C-alpha cells in the first residue's frame, strides 16, 4: 500500500499533489504496483499519529505530506515526507521490485518496525500529579528557553506557544510571579506587532520561519486562533499596560473568525491555505509601489514606513509582510488605511478554505468566544459560541456517539477521539460560565462521563481513541500537547473545570490521576505539556470558582445582555472580570441567591464554598 497523509492548508502537500500525483505516468505506475490510500490527518489524527511515529523513528524527523509504504496488514516498511516526482517514481519502482523479488524480507522488516514502535510506546508507570514544586520548576525551565528579544521559546521556526502562555498567565494569577507575566507580555506583543499576525485582516498564521516572527508560513488554522484568542483575552485582564494592543488583537481576531471562518452550518471551518493559486502568501504581501498605488503617494509612503515595507522586501521577490512594530501616531488615519488595504486585498485572489468542521477545534473556538464575550461584555460573541455548540451537539452526535468532523452539514464516519470530547466539553463549560445556563453544564457532564468510559484506562489516564475505535497496527499515543491540546490533557482540563462547576469531587480526583500520566513530560519538556500545565495549575489552586447570582430585576443584565452592566451599576460583576486568570466565574448561577435584594457571589475552592457576599473586595485577588 501507498499511504499519503496530508491536510488542506499544507503547502508542500499541494506541491506534491500537483507535480506528482496529478501526473499521468505517476498515476499509471501507482495503479499498476500499489493500492493508494489518501488520508486527511485532521479527520483521522489516529492514523496520522501511528504512521508519523514510524516516520520519525525511521528518518529522525516528521512533516507533511507524509509518504509511507505498507504491507497489506498496514505495517510500514518505508516512510518519508515530501518527495519530488523523480524520487517518488524511483521509490515506486524499487518497492515493486522488492515486493516481487524479496517479499519475505519486506514483510519481516514491517513486522520489526511495528514491534519496535510498540516497545517504544509501552507505557511507564504514571507519576505523581504535578504540584506547586513541579509547576514552579516548569516556569524556571521555560524561562531558560525564553527569547528575551523576540518572545517565544527557542529559535526558528517559531510557533505561537499558546498553551504555554495560558499556563504562565495562570501561574502569575495564582502566585504573582512577575517572570511568568513578563514572558507572556513579551511574546504576545512581539507576535501582535509581527508579520505572523495579519495586520489588515486579523488572525494569526500557523508559525514564523524566522526568530523575529517576520515571515509566516501563511496558513491560518482555527485551533491556533481559538487558543490565542483565549490568551490575549486573559492578558488584557491580567496586565492593564498590555490592554490596548491585546484588546485590538482580540477584536480583530473575532472579526476574522466571523468573517472568514463561519460556515452556513453555524460552525467554524478548519483553515485557510498558505497558498493562493499556487503561490505562498500572495494574498498578504505588499511592495512599496503597491501601497502607493492603493493609498496614494503620501499615505502609501507613510504606510510603508509604519508597516516595515521596504524596497528590498522582507519576503520573496521584493515583497514584504506587514508589521506594526509601533503604534500609529494617528489612530484614525491608520483605521482608514487599514480599511482601504483590506478592501483592495479582498479583490486579489484568495486562499482556499478547508470548510471541514472539526469537533475539537470548534470546541476550542466555542470556549474562546464565550470567554472573550463575557470578559469584554460582547453578548453577540457568546451567542455565536452557543449557536456553534448547538450545531455540534445536534449534528456531530450520531447514534449516541460523537463524531470527529462534518462538511457541508454531512457528518463523517470517523469517530471522535479523546481531544474532541475534552475540547467540546471545555467549550460547553465556558458557555455555562458566561451565561449561567445549567443546560450547558448538563450537556458537558453527559459527554464527559461518556468520555471517561470510552477512553479511560485502569491507571487513571486516557487512551487517544475509544474502546469502539478501529484497531491500528500500533495504539496512537495521547500524551503531550503540540499544535493543539492532546487527548489526555484535554480531558484532564475538562474534568478539572467540570469538577469545580458541577461540584464533582470524583472528577477532580480523576483529573489528578490523569495528570500523573504527564508528570514526566511536565518536568522534562514543559513546552510540550502546556495544556496539562493549565489543568495542573487550576487544580493546585483549588480550583477557584466564583458563582455570581443572576443580576437583579431591572438591573444592567437585562439592558445589555449576558454579563453586561452599565457603568458602575454592577460592581460585583465588574470585580469578577478582574479576578486572577485561572479563576472560574459562573455569571448568573441560579443556585446562588441574592442577599438583601443585591447581587451576591459565592467563592468556592474545590467543592468547599464560602458564604455568599455582596462585597467586591471579597472576591479572589480583590482584597
Amino acid at each position: 500500500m501507498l499511504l499519503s497523509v496530508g491536510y488542506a492548508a499544507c503547502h508542500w502537500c499541494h506541491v506534491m499533489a500537483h507535480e506528482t500525483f496529478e501526473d499521468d505516468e505517476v498515476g499509471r505506475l501507482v495503479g499498476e504496483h500499489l493500492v493508494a490510500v489518501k488520508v486527511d490527518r485532521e479527520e483521522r489524527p489516529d492514523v496520522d499519529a501511528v504512521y508519523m511515529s514510524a516516520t520519525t523513528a525511521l528518518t529522525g524527523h516528521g512533516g507533511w505530506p507524509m509518504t509511507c509504504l505498507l504491507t497489506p496488514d498496514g505495517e510500514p516498511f518505508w516512510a518519508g515526507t515530501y518527495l519530488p516526482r523523480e524520487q517518488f517514481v524511483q521509490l515506486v519502482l524499487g518497492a515493486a521490485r522488492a515486493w516481487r523479488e524479496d517479499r519475505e524480507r519486506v514483510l519481516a522488516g514491517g513486522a520489526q518496525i511495528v514491534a519496535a514502535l510498540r516497545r517504544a510506546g509501552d507505557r511507564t508507570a504514571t507519576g505523581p500529579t504535578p504540584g506547586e514544586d513541579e509547576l514552579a520548576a516548569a516556569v524556571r525551565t521555560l524561562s531558560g528557553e525564553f527569547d528575551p528579544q523576540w518572545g517565544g521559546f527557542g529559535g526558528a521556526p517559531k510557533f505561537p506557544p499558546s498553551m504555554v502562555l495560558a499556563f504562565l498567565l495562570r501561574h502569575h494569577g495564582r502566585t504573582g510571579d512577575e517572570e511568568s507575566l513578563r514572558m507572556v507580555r513579551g511574546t504576545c506583543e512581539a507576535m501582535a506587532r509581527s508579520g505572523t499576525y495579519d495586520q489588515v485582516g486579523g488572525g494569526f498564521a500557523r508559525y514564523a520561519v524566522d526568530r523575529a516572527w517576520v515571515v509566516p508560513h501563511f496558513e491560518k488554522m482555527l485551533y491556533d486562533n481559538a487558543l490565542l484568542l483565549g490568551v490575549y483575552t486573559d492578558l488584557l485582564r491580567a496586565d492593564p499596560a498590555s490592554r490596548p494592543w491585546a484588546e485590538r488583537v482580540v477584536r480583530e481576531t473575532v472579526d476574522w473568525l466571523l468573517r472568514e471562518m463561519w460556515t452556513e452550518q453555524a460552525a467554524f471551518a478548519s483553515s485557510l491555505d498558505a497558498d493562493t493559486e499556487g503561490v505562498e502568501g500572495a494574498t498578504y504581501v505588499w511592495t512599496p509601489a503597491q501601497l502607493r498605488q492603493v493609498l496614494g503617494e503620501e499615505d502609501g509612503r507613510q504606510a510603508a514606513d509604519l508597516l516595515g515595507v521596504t524596497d528590498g522586501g522582507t519576503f520573496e521577490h521584493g515583497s514584504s509582510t506587514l508589521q506594526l512594530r509601533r503604534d500609529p501616531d494617528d489612530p484614525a488615519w491608520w483605521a482608514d488605511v487599514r480599511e482601504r488595504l483590506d478592501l483592495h486585498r479582498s479583490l486579489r485572489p484568495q486562499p482556499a478554505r478547508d470548510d471541514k468542521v472539526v469537533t475539537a477545534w470548534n470546541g476550542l473556538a466555542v470556549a474562546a468566544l464565550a470567554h472573550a464575550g463575557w470578559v469584554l461584555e460582547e453578548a453577540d460573541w457568546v451567542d455565536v459560541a452557543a449557536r456553534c455548540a448547538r450545531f455540534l451537539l445536534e449534528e456531530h452526535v450520531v447514534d449516541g456517539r460523537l463524531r470527529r468532523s462534518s462538511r457541508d452539514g454531512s457528518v463523517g464516519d470517523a469517530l471522535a477521539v479523546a481531544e474532541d470530547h475534552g475540547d467540546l466539553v471545555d467549550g460547553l463549560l465556558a458557555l455555562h460560565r458566561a451565561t449561567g445556563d445549567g443546560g450547558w453544564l448538563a450537556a458537558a457532564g453527559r459527554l464527559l462521563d461518556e468520555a471517561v468510559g470510552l477512553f479511560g484506562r485502569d491507571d487513571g489516564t486516557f487512551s487517544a481513541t475509544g474502546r469502539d475505535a478501529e484497531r491500528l497496527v500500533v495504539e496512537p499515543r495521547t500524551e503531550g500537547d503540540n499544535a493543539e491540546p492532546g487527548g489526555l490533557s484535554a480531558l484532564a482540563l475538562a474534568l478539572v473545570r467540570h469538577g469545580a462547576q458541577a461540584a464533582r469531587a470524583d472528577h477532580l480526583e480523576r483529573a489528578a490521576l490523569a495528570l500523573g500520566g504527564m508528570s514526566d513530560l511536565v518536568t522534562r519538556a514543559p513546552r510540550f505539556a502546556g495544556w496539562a500545565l493549565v489543568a495542573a495549575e487550576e487544580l493546585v489552586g483549588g480550583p477557584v470558582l466564583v458563582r455570581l447570582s443572576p443580576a437583579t430585576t431591572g438591573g444592567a443584565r437585562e439592558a445589555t445582555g449576558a454579563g453586561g452592566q452599565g457603568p458602575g451599576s454592577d460592581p460585583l460583576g465588574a470585580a469578577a472580570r478582574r479576578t486572577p486568570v485561572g479563576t472560574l466565574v459562573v455569571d448568573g448561577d441560579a443556585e446562588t441567591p441574592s442577599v438583601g435584594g443585591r447581587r451576591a457571589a459565592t467563592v468556592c475552592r474545590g467543592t468547599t464554598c464560602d458564604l455568599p457576599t455582596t462585597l467586591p473586595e471579597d472576591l479572589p485577588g480583590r482584597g
Side-chain angles (χ1 to χ4, degrees):
M1 284 188 285
L2 165 68
L3 173 67
S4 177
V5 182
Y7 61 104
C10 163
H11 170 71
W12 288 104
C13 300
H14 287 285
V15 172
M16 191 167 178
H18 296 320
E19 72 178 16
T20 302
F21 295 145
E22 293 176 5
D23 182 87
D24 289 342
E25 176 63 15
V26 170
R28 184 187 65 78
L29 287 172
V30 170
E32 181 179 346
H33 298 295
L34 298 164
V35 174
V37 179
K38 186 71 175 174
V39 171
D40 180 346
R41 67 175 291 258
E42 297 167 351
E43 187 174 22
R44 290 299 301 268
D46 52 341
V47 173
D48 178 65
V50 166
Y51 292 102
M52 187 57 73
S53 66
T55 301
T56 54
L58 291 171
T59 68
H61 65 274
W64 297 274
M66 176 167 52
T67 308
C68 299
L69 296 178
L70 318 178
T71 71
D73 291 330
E75 296 178 335
F77 60 88
W78 188 93
T81 53
Y82 164 78
L83 291 173
R85 180 191 180 281
E86 293 309 313
Q87 290 185 29
F88 181 80
V89 167
Q90 293 305 311
L91 173 68
V92 172
L93 294 173
R97 184 169 56 252
W99 190 248
R100 286 193 312 268
E101 300 174 0
D102 203 1
R103 184 173 304 187
E104 292 305 316
R105 188 169 68 86
V106 171
L107 292 170
Q112 289 172 1
I113 291 169
V114 167
L117 292 174
R118 287 173 177 163
R119 287 194 300 272
D122 285 343
R123 297 180 55 81
T124 57
T126 59
T129 306
E132 292 191 26
D133 292 344
E134 289 77 15
L135 297 173
V139 172
R140 290 193 295 272
T141 299
L142 292 167
S143 181
E145 298 172 348
F146 179 67
D147 181 346
Q149 182 178 7
W150 296 111
F153 302 91
K158 190 175 277 186
F159 291 80
S162 51
M163 291 170 280
V164 167
L165 299 176
F167 155 64
L168 291 171
L169 281 170
R170 281 153 181 78
H171 190 74
H172 168 73
R174 181 176 63 86
T175 68
D177 177 57
E178 287 299 321
E179 174 66 5
S180 295
L181 183 59
R182 182 182 72 87
M183 288 188 278
V184 177
R185 183 193 299 119
T187 300
C188 285
E189 184 165 13
M191 290 193 301
R193 297 188 180 281
S194 75
T196 302
Y197 179 71
D198 185 347
Q199 304 296 341
V200 169
F204 289 87
R206 177 72 195 91
Y207 64 89
V209 301
D210 61 290
R211 180 182 156 215
W213 310 99
V214 175
V215 177
H217 197 39
F218 288 91
E219 73 265 41
K220 291 181 179 179
M221 311 300 296
L222 177 61
Y223 55 77
D224 282 321
N225 284 281
L227 290 165
L228 288 167
L229 178 58
V231 168
Y232 280 85
T233 298
D234 282 334
L235 177 60
L236 69 86
R237 297 170 58 214
D239 186 33
S242 301
R243 180 158 186 151
W245 51 262
E247 184 171 341
R248 171 179 68 87
V249 167
V250 168
R251 293 187 179 279
E252 291 174 1
T253 299
V254 171
D255 287 346
W256 170 77
L257 283 168
L258 299 181
R259 183 179 67 251
E260 300 287 341
M261 304 300 280
W262 190 242
T263 70
E264 293 180 5
Q265 290 72 41
F268 291 98
S270 293
S271 63
L272 298 182
D273 283 5
D275 298 357
T276 302
E277 297 183 343
V279 180
E280 188 175 6
T283 303
Y284 302 104
V285 296
W286 299 79
T287 64
Q290 288 171 333
L291 290 177
R292 292 194 298 271
Q293 181 182 17
V294 172
L295 300 173
E297 196 68 31
E298 180 61 22
D299 283 350
R301 183 190 61 77
Q302 291 185 39
D305 178 65
L306 177 67
L307 298 168
V309 178
T310 65
D311 291 330
T314 58
F315 186 51
E316 298 172 347
H317 312 298
S319 62
S320 296
T321 60
L322 302 186
Q323 305 172 70
L324 193 67
R325 296 297 184 184
R326 67 180 189 276
D327 291 328
D329 295 331
D330 184 347
W333 171 84
W334 165 238
D336 175 66
V337 164
R338 183 172 180 264
E339 185 176 349
R340 283 189 279 162
L341 292 176
D342 192 30
L343 176 61
H344 182 82
R345 200 176 76 175
S346 70
L347 303 177
R348 293 177 172 181
Q350 298 297 304
R353 185 177 79 164
D354 179 4
D355 54 6
K356 176 173 72 268
V357 173
V358 175
T359 300
W361 306 354
N362 274 261
L364 294 173
V366 168
L369 275 171
H371 182 54
W374 177 74
V375 168
L376 292 177
E377 302 175 65
E378 294 285 355
D380 287 348
W381 299 358
V382 180
D383 291 342
V384 167
R387 290 181 64 193
C388 181
R390 281 192 289 270
F391 171 80
L392 297 172
L393 291 174
E394 292 169 2
E395 303 298 331
H396 277 213
V397 179
V398 179
D399 296 329
R401 180 64 160 93
L402 188 64
R403 298 290 179 90
R404 170 71 175 174
S405 64
S406 65
R407 185 167 183 266
D408 292 333
S410 178
V411 180
D413 294 331
L415 299 176
V417 294
E419 61 260 33
D420 292 305
H421 283 260
D423 293 341
L424 178 53
V425 167
D426 195 43
L428 300 177
L429 293 172
L431 280 169
H432 172 240
R433 295 194 298 275
T435 66
D437 184 345
W440 298 120
L441 182 64
R446 289 192 297 270
L447 270 177
L448 193 52
D449 286 338
E450 290 169 7
V452 170
L454 280 169
F455 305 101
R457 294 175 179 267
D458 292 339
D459 63 1
T461 61
F462 296 102
S463 299
T465 54
R467 301 180 189 278
D468 55 350
E470 175 186 359
R471 297 297 98 184
L472 303 175
V473 293
V474 177
E475 183 180 357
R477 300 292 296 273
T478 184
E479 296 82 358
D481 303 310
N482 202 338
E484 56 181 302
L488 189 152
S489 52
L491 285 173
L493 183 61
L495 285 164
V496 169
R497 291 175 174 172
H498 188 265
Q501 289 171 231
R504 288 278 299 269
D506 60 323
H507 278 178
L508 297 177
E509 293 166 3
R510 188 61 189 262
L513 282 173
L515 289 169
M518 295 278 282
S519 59
D520 175 65
L521 194 61
V522 162
T523 303
R524 177 171 45 84
R527 284 170 59 186
F528 302 98
W531 216 233
L533 285 164
V534 168
E537 185 64 56
E538 292 189 11
L539 186 63
V540 81
V544 180
L545 175 73
V546 175
R547 298 183 183 275
L548 289 177
S549 68
T552 54
T553 302
R557 193 177 185 88
E558 287 76 7
T560 61
Q565 67 272 334
S569 64
D570 183 17
L572 203 61
R577 288 173 174 78
R578 297 193 300 273
T579 53
V581 175
T583 302
L584 305 172
V585 179
V586 178
D587 193 347
D589 180 54
E591 297 182 5
T592 299
S594 60
V595 175
R598 299 171 60 192
R599 201 171 193 202
T602 301
V603 179
C604 307
R605 289 168 179 82
T607 57
T608 302
C609 299
D610 298 334
L611 294 173
T613 180
T614 61
L615 301 177
E617 57 266 31
D618 288 342
L619 299 190
R622 310 314 309 164

